[in-house]
Amino acid sequence: KLLVTSNLLEPVPVRFFSLFADVWKFSKPEEEKYAQHVLANDLTAFRLFTFSTLLIAAVFLFVDMSRPVDFVWTLVMRSSMAMLYILLLWLSYYRKLSHKELQVMVVIQIIVTYIIYFAQTFLARMPFFFLTNVLLLFFYTAITVSGLRFRYGLMINIGVFIVFIVVTEVIEDEFYTSQVPNL
């Protein structure tokens, strides 16, 4: 934009994506008011997400018993994830969480879950489709049902996608390479 003053054209600073800034983040007072308004719903979403992920992990632990995988690594990874999830669930009931603390908990939960799934894929020699399936599932759930703010989920997912691309390039596996456009 240009501002005309004294017959001179001077540039006026414009915020990047200023028309869409509220999609990414509200002003500080509005953001605080919104966070307080949705805290109870975010906490419920977090607990539901955590509990359902625990149940699914337990079911797949039994499924993994019949797969040709290194079950010890699978047991270690899924048990580690379960302990983290149980600790986070306990904290969510034991302590009155602020909206910032809840967002930090969900971010930690999702990042650790991604790390565990990457490690489980290669240490336990999971089936080739395992990593892409869990990534796709968590790309969706991290943003929609975990109670995490969209902007944080989007940043995490972009980071994980970049890690997936790097891993794909390093291991040079045709299946993983073919899954990049799908993810």
Side-chain angles (χ1 to χ4, degrees), residues 112-126:
V112 169
T113 300
Y114 277 133
I115 291 169
I116 286 173
Y117 282 142
F118 270 97
Q120 184 179 351
T121 297
F122 300 108
L123 293 174
R125 294 185 303 277
M126 298 300 286

Side-chain angles (χ1 to χ4, degrees), residues 159-173:
V160 169
F161 184 63
I162 290 168
V163 168
F164 179 77
I165 291 171
V166 169
V167 167
T168 299
E169 292 298 318
V170 168
I171 63 171
E172 297 178 351
D173 184 276

